[in-house]
Amino acid sequence: MAKKTTNSGLVSRRRLLTTVGAGAVLAASPFRINLLQAQEATIKIGFPVPLTGPYGTEAQDQVRAAEVAIAEFNEGGGLNGRKAELLVRDDKLNPGEAASRALELIEREKVNFIVGSLSAAVQLAVNNVTKERQIIFNSISQSDTINEASDFSKYTFHEALNPHMTAGAVGRYAFPKFGKKVAFLTADYAYGHEMVRGFQEAGKAFGVETLVDIRHPLGTTDFSALLPRIQALKPDILCISNFGRDQQIALKQATDFGMKKSMKIIVPIMLYTGRIAAGPQAFEGVVGGTSYYWGIEDKVASAKAFNDRFRKMHGGKVPSDYGALGYGGVKTLLMGAKAAGSLEADKVIAAVEALKYDYYKGPEYYRACDHQAVQSVLIIDSKANPQKGDADVFNVVEIEAPSDANLRTCAALGHKA
Amino acid sequence: MSGLSFDLIALQLFTGLALGAIYVLFAIGLSLIFGMLTVVNFAHGAFYMIGAYVGLFLLSLGGNFWLCLVAVPLIVGVSGMIVERFLIRPLYGRGIDYPLLLTFGLSYVMVELIRIAFGKSGYPFDTPDLLQGAINIGVGYFPLYRLFAIGAAVVVLLGLWLFLEKTSFGLIIRAGARDPQIVRVLGVDIGRVWLYVFGIGTAIAGLAGLLAAPLQGLIPEMGANILAEAFVVTVVGGMGSIGGAVIAGLLVGVVVSMTSLFAPEMAKVSIFALMAVVLLIRPQGFFGRAGLMS
């Protein structure tokens, strides 16, 4: 009797161990996420962006715009009643920090998607993590590398423009109009190098001649020593490929040196936030590209709707270019999930690939081979004086329509046909 | 390279001197404070930044740039004196690292206060109307405002030199730098002298910040960038030597500018290469007194 009791006690202990063990395995496996999702959990979107540091202004606007996409989705009934939620993290513009935040979002918060990053290097770091964990990632800043086969995975989407498209569009607009002799002033990192390559490739068709390509380190505060040489070379066009504060200071000092009198200054991306921060003087007459400018609302209905919603949620402000990407990046994944009727990665990927969308800037779609958003590029120049309030800073002088032809070919990127 | 003409080299040299003038103006206060007080002021960059923001604030109240040129050094100088009186003075006699660490921490506090008051993103600072545009200086076009900045630096340096060399208070300051004990024995309140010296040093830093604002705009971190370059200037010139800071500042400006012409990617490194070479040949810098750090 006593022996039997011991036996049954042993069996039950063994069963207990098995159950606990199975439970632990279950808790650690992706299967658990599905169980949780079945219980109508919210859809979580991780949003790592550089809230602090030199691109803080742009990143904060990305958060504001992403909140608009979340609000619209939830008001529209969500995914069969399941609401979405944004989990914002500061990646401090640092690839290592961004990778840890992304991993944390996936492991601890069990996010369904990740949208974010505001640097060529940081987005590749996040992409490495999401690729390995099989979480869909939509990048909202410029990079050519992320399209390439070596970095791409089916979980990778790129809602932002890439340097090849942006510099190409600006070059195709500027070279025939302003001349063929070009001097480059370039920030010495991936962004700058990719932009210059984009300009030079677009320039081949026009016989553009590169007089000089001067590289400056990130965070340069005085460009005066670089400018006399450019002036002496007498270029038709000075092409300044840098970002954020570097762009503001370079334009300001080039203006001070009177360079606009003898040459046209072009930039690949003319930042709305940068122009607001630097004032009209430095940017006056400069031509550049952008993915979005709020002023297209006169012509594009979806832009009007997006701007109005943004104004309503954020005290009458208009969204910036990079801000709007935060909206587009979140919106496309949520609409994909809605179309798929599921959060299962493969189904969402197929649905997002099939989207032909116009959420805020006119028609867009993701190219199948590299998930690059094929979209318009706006060519803008900066007004001397805002007439309709402080936000009225740019003229849209041309819109390059979305076209596969403006992207590098899938074969060139290393994707198999 | 093509297009290398006499005019270009002359213009490049001049650009270097203009850059150097701003380095000198910033480094001179650092050098003055170190030479007299043996305080390595790591908050110097923060006072420079405060100068620019005080200027912005005064302009927003309806002041003009010319008024700022007087008011900013006064306000920043007084705040410097408050810092010396209540934070640095208790640390005298405890070795060089105490005030160094204090000012290092203080610089973070000051930057954070400005971030709270004015926000993290930058502000534009328009060049005053009278000084806009570029004029032909014979070898090419040069911004009028940079010429003005050179002029302002010369005026400040002349004033400082006259003050130190030709007034009796200047005499006390120089004596105090040589031997504070004897000066104290002679009945001079050396604490008061140090208070004014710190005030003058920070006032010049504030003025340098105001002068730099129209060149590069404002951000709370603007002082951190120039601080590294200013330390190179003071080390090359000799810690504590005002004349050394002037010559080294101009030299650093010219070295940066000429390197930018031939190998722009080396421009930033060239400053530190210059420092390494000078330290190898003359460890105390051009005009430094040996043993001041010990």
Side-chain angles (χ1 to χ4, degrees):
Chain A
M1 197 60 195
K3 196 180 177 187
K4 202 177 179 185
T5 314
T6 319
N7 248 351
S8 88
L10 215 114
V11 167
S12 79
R13 188 188 296 145
R14 191 168 286 159
R15 183 173 291 156
L16 185 76
L17 281 173
T18 332
T19 318
V20 169
V25 169
L26 197 66
S29 79
F31 188 58
R32 177 170 164 272
I33 300 171
N34 291 337
L35 282 178
L36 277 177
Q37 282 166 0
Q39 294 161 8
E40 305 289 302
T42 56
I43 303 167
K44 289 184 172 180
I45 299 177
F47 202 77
V49 284
L51 296 172
T52 54
Y55 305 163
T57 316
E58 288 79 14
Q60 284 155 28
D61 206 49
Q62 292 188 316
V63 174
R64 283 192 281 270
E67 283 166 354
V68 174
I70 299 276
E72 285 177 354
F73 178 77
N74 289 344
E75 282 158 23
L79 174 62
N80 303 322
R82 289 178 60 181
K83 301 289 168 71
E85 179 192 357
L86 196 69
L87 285 79
V88 180
R89 296 290 183 271
D90 185 6
D91 69 27
K92 299 181 180 161
L93 202 62
N94 175 316
E97 182 84 18
S100 327
R101 293 288 86 80
L103 202 58
E104 221 172 76
L105 284 164
I106 295 168
E107 297 278 306
R108 199 175 306 160
E109 303 289 350
K110 311 289 179 204
V111 293
N112 302 88
F113 310 123
I114 289 187
V115 178
S117 81
L118 182 43
S119 142
V122 172
Q123 66 183 284
L124 295 177
V126 174
N127 186 47
N128 273 334
V129 173
T130 51
K131 210 159 101 171
E132 189 192 314
R133 302 288 160 143
Q134 309 191 331
I135 295 285
I136 296 174
F137 168 50
N138 201 349
S139 162
I140 52 175
S141 65
Q142 295 232 356
S143 164
D144 275 332
T145 314
I146 200 160
N147 295 142
E148 289 166 13
S150 51
D151 274 275
F152 175 78
S153 81
K154 66 175 180 179
Y155 302 98
T156 309
F157 287 83
H158 195 236
E159 170 66 23
L161 288 167
N162 63 36
H164 184 86
M165 296 162 79
T166 314
V170 175
R172 282 185 287 275
Y173 174 82
F175 296 144
K177 272 200 174 58
F178 308 124
K180 296 180 176 35
K181 288 190 293 173
V182 182
F184 290 93
L185 178 60
T186 310
D188 198 6
Y189 74 119
Y191 171 90
H193 304 165
E194 289 184 351
M195 287 298 180
V196 170
R197 196 180 58 192
F199 277 114
Q200 287 173 337
E201 279 174 24
K204 278 177 199 160
F206 303 98
V208 161
E209 178 196 353
T210 298
L211 298 181
V212 69
D213 180 6
I214 298 178
R215 305 281 168 96
H216 71 79
L218 272 185
T220 295
T221 52
D222 201 299
F223 292 87
S224 65
L226 303 173
L227 301 177
R229 183 173 166 200
I230 295 171
Q231 244 167 347
L233 289 168
K234 299 188 171 50
D236 301 319
I237 294 176
L238 167 60
C239 176
I240 302 180
S241 301
N242 52 18
F243 198 83
R245 200 172 142 69
D246 284 351
Q247 183 182 60
Q248 296 164 30
I249 297 177
L251 288 177
K252 164 104 178 134
Q253 294 179 353
T255 308
D256 287 348
F257 269 79
M259 300 184 78
K260 285 174 182 167
K261 288 189 200 114
S262 57
M263 64 195 82
K264 189 74 183 175
I265 299 182
I266 65 173
V267 299
I269 304 176
M270 187 143 64
L271 287 168
Y272 174 81
T273 36
R275 159 60 189 79
I276 295 288
Q281 218 179 28
F283 279 68
E284 185 186 343
V286 177
V287 168
T290 187
S291 57
Y292 185 73
Y293 175 58
W294 68 272
I296 60 170
E297 67 181 8
D298 298 342
K299 295 178 201 117
V300 182
S302 58
K304 173 83 178 136
F306 168 53
N307 291 341
D308 284 346
R309 188 62 213 258
F310 191 98
R311 287 186 183 106
K312 209 175 114 196
M313 273 180 78
H314 299 294
K317 276 189 183 177
V318 290
S320 69
D321 33 29
Y322 270 77
L325 288 169
Y327 175 80
V330 170
K331 182 96 175 175
T332 47
L333 296 190
L334 286 175
M335 296 313 272
K338 205 164 181 169
S342 156
L343 288 173
E344 222 173 285
D346 282 330
K347 286 185 185 161
V348 176
I349 291 168
V352 176
E353 281 176 344
L355 287 176
K356 300 269 182 231
Y357 58 99
D358 176 2
Y359 295 144
Y360 72 102
K361 60 173 289 191
E364 286 184 70
Y365 62 91
Y366 288 104
R367 183 163 75 168
C369 73
D370 60 355
H371 290 172
Q372 169 62 43
V374 182
Q375 58 186 299
S376 59
V377 182
L378 316 183
I379 310 297
I380 50 180
D381 71 15
S382 188
K383 293 187 178 184
N385 290 301
Q387 285 113 23
K388 297 179 279 177
D390 286 345
D392 178 34
V393 295
F394 297 140
N395 293 307
V396 178
V397 293
E398 193 168 286
I399 297 180
E400 190 176 85
S403 160
D404 269 13
N406 298 333
L407 277 63
R408 287 186 291 169
T409 62
C410 293
L413 295 170
H415 298 287
K416 289 180 197 96
Chain B
M1 64 173 271
S2 60
L4 194 64
S5 64
F6 170 78
D7 281 3
L8 174 57
I9 292 178
L11 186 60
Q12 197 79 33
L13 262 174
F14 195 76
T15 307
L17 290 175
L19 265 179
I22 293 167
Y23 290 147
V24 170
L25 206 49
F26 181 75
I28 202 86
L30 200 63
S31 203
L32 184 70
I33 291 171
F34 182 77
M36 308 295 165
L37 280 65
T38 47
V39 168
V40 182
N41 182 19
F42 262 86
H44 210 65
F47 283 108
Y48 166 89
M49 177 272 297
I50 297 277
Y53 274 89
V54 168
L56 181 77
F57 182 68
L58 292 177
L59 287 181
S60 75
L61 292 181
N64 68 42
F65 185 75
W66 312 103
L67 188 77
C68 287
L69 283 176
V70 179
V72 165
L74 278 177
I75 293 170
V76 178
V78 167
S79 62
M81 286 162 79
I82 294 170
V83 166
E84 196 276 345
R85 177 64 188 80
F86 294 103
L87 296 175
I88 297 176
R89 189 175 291 184
L91 302 178
Y92 288 140
R94 291 203 196 194
I96 198 164
D97 41 349
Y98 281 75
L100 188 152
L101 290 172
L102 176 98
T103 51
F104 188 76
L106 181 66
S107 71
Y108 277 81
V109 173
M110 288 165 78
V111 169
E112 204 56 49
L113 284 175
I114 289 295
R115 282 183 185 152
I116 292 166
F118 290 87
K120 285 176 189 159
S121 44
Y123 286 91
F125 197 107
D126 283 340
T127 311
D129 288 338
L130 213 62
L131 299 173
Q132 277 181 14
I135 60 162
N136 196 334
I137 55 166
V139 290
Y141 281 88
F142 201 76
L144 197 54
Y145 183 77
R146 280 182 196 256
L147 291 175
F148 170 77
I150 298 174
V154 170
V155 168
V156 169
L157 290 176
L158 265 179
L160 188 66
W161 180 78
L162 286 174
F163 172 71
L164 288 176
E165 297 292 327
K166 303 291 174 198
T167 65
S168 50
F169 195 74
L171 187 67
I172 294 172
I173 290 177
R174 281 181 293 138
R178 283 294 159 97
D179 197 332
Q181 294 264 287
I182 294 291
V183 174
R184 199 175 276 138
V185 166
L186 289 173
V188 175
D189 180 0
I190 194 81
R192 202 168 57 96
V193 174
W194 286 344
L195 180 71
Y196 287 130
V197 168
F198 200 85
I200 293 167
T202 48
I204 299 175
L207 180 66
L210 175 69
L211 287 171
L215 296 176
Q216 44 169 271
L218 271 62
I219 49 164
E221 300 81 17
M222 64 190 286
N225 297 324
I226 194 167
L227 193 63
E229 283 147 1
F231 272 117
V232 172
V233 170
T234 47
V235 168
V236 168
M239 292 291 287
S241 161
I242 291 175
V246 174
I247 290 173
L250 295 177
L251 181 67
V252 166
V254 169
V255 165
V256 168
S257 181
M258 294 320 280
T259 321
S260 297
L261 181 58
F262 296 104
E265 59 278 7
M266 304 298 283
K268 224 167 191 169
V269 183
S270 68
I271 303 178
F272 298 98
L274 173 72
M275 179 168 78
V277 169
V278 169
L279 287 182
L280 280 175
I281 299 167
R282 236 186 116 73
Q284 72 272 39
F286 291 159
F287 300 105
R289 280 175 281 146
L292 205 54
M293 291 291 282
S294 47

